[in-house]
Short mmCIF file of all heavy atoms in Angstrom, two decimals:
data_model
loop_
_atom_site.label_atom_id
_atom_site.label_comp_id
_atom_site.label_asym_id
_atom_site.label_seq_id
_atom_site.Cartn_x
_atom_site.Cartn_y
_atom_site.Cartn_z
N TYR F 128 -19.24 11.99 -14.35
CA TYR F 128 -18.77 13.35 -14.14
C TYR F 128 -17.27 13.31 -13.82
O TYR F 128 -16.90 13.37 -12.67
CB TYR F 128 -19.53 14.03 -13.01
CG TYR F 128 -21.03 14.03 -13.20
CD1 TYR F 128 -21.83 13.18 -12.46
CD2 TYR F 128 -21.62 14.88 -14.14
CE1 TYR F 128 -23.21 13.16 -12.65
CE2 TYR F 128 -22.97 14.87 -14.34
CZ TYR F 128 -23.77 14.00 -13.60
OH TYR F 128 -25.12 13.99 -13.80
N PRO F 129 -16.43 13.25 -14.85
CA PRO F 129 -14.97 13.19 -14.59
C PRO F 129 -14.44 14.50 -14.02
O PRO F 129 -15.03 15.56 -14.25
CB PRO F 129 -14.38 12.88 -15.95
CG PRO F 129 -15.38 13.39 -16.93
CD PRO F 129 -16.73 13.28 -16.26
N ASN F 130 -13.34 14.39 -13.31
CA ASN F 130 -12.67 15.58 -12.75
C ASN F 130 -13.60 16.44 -11.90
O ASN F 130 -13.65 17.63 -12.02
CB ASN F 130 -12.05 16.40 -13.87
CG ASN F 130 -11.08 15.59 -14.70
OD1 ASN F 130 -10.34 14.77 -14.13
ND2 ASN F 130 -11.10 15.77 -15.99
N SER F 131 -14.35 15.78 -11.03
CA SER F 131 -15.28 16.49 -10.14
C SER F 131 -14.79 16.43 -8.71
O SER F 131 -13.78 15.82 -8.40
CB SER F 131 -16.68 15.83 -10.28
OG SER F 131 -16.60 14.46 -9.99
N VAL F 132 -15.51 17.06 -7.85
CA VAL F 132 -15.21 17.02 -6.40
C VAL F 132 -16.18 16.05 -5.74
O VAL F 132 -17.36 16.03 -6.07
CB VAL F 132 -15.36 18.42 -5.77
CG1 VAL F 132 -15.18 18.36 -4.26
CG2 VAL F 132 -14.39 19.40 -6.38
N THR F 144 -21.12 13.16 -5.59
CA THR F 144 -20.35 13.91 -6.56
C THR F 144 -20.97 15.33 -6.63
O THR F 144 -22.16 15.49 -6.79
CB THR F 144 -20.43 13.26 -7.96
OG1 THR F 144 -19.93 11.93 -7.84
CG2 THR F 144 -19.61 14.04 -8.97
N ILE F 145 -20.11 16.31 -6.51
CA ILE F 145 -20.52 17.70 -6.58
C ILE F 145 -20.19 18.23 -7.97
O ILE F 145 -19.04 18.17 -8.41
CB ILE F 145 -19.82 18.54 -5.51
CG1 ILE F 145 -20.12 17.98 -4.13
CG2 ILE F 145 -20.21 20.01 -5.59
CD1 ILE F 145 -19.29 18.52 -3.04
N ILE F 146 -21.19 18.75 -8.67
CA ILE F 146 -21.01 19.21 -10.04
C ILE F 146 -21.23 20.71 -10.07
O ILE F 146 -22.21 21.21 -9.55
CB ILE F 146 -22.05 18.55 -10.98
CG1 ILE F 146 -21.96 17.04 -10.81
CG2 ILE F 146 -21.82 18.97 -12.40
CD1 ILE F 146 -23.18 16.33 -11.31
N SER F 147 -20.28 21.41 -10.69
CA SER F 147 -20.49 22.86 -10.83
C SER F 147 -20.92 23.12 -12.27
O SER F 147 -20.43 22.51 -13.22
CB SER F 147 -19.20 23.62 -10.53
OG SER F 147 -18.22 23.31 -11.47
N THR F 148 -21.84 24.03 -12.43
CA THR F 148 -22.36 24.35 -13.77
C THR F 148 -21.84 25.67 -14.25
O THR F 148 -21.36 26.49 -13.53
CB THR F 148 -23.90 24.36 -13.77
OG1 THR F 148 -24.34 25.29 -12.80
CG2 THR F 148 -24.44 22.99 -13.50
#
Side-chain angles (χ1 to χ4, degrees):
Y128 304 105
N130 303 321
S131 55
V132 174
T144 302
I145 301 168
I146 306 161
S147 66
T148 56

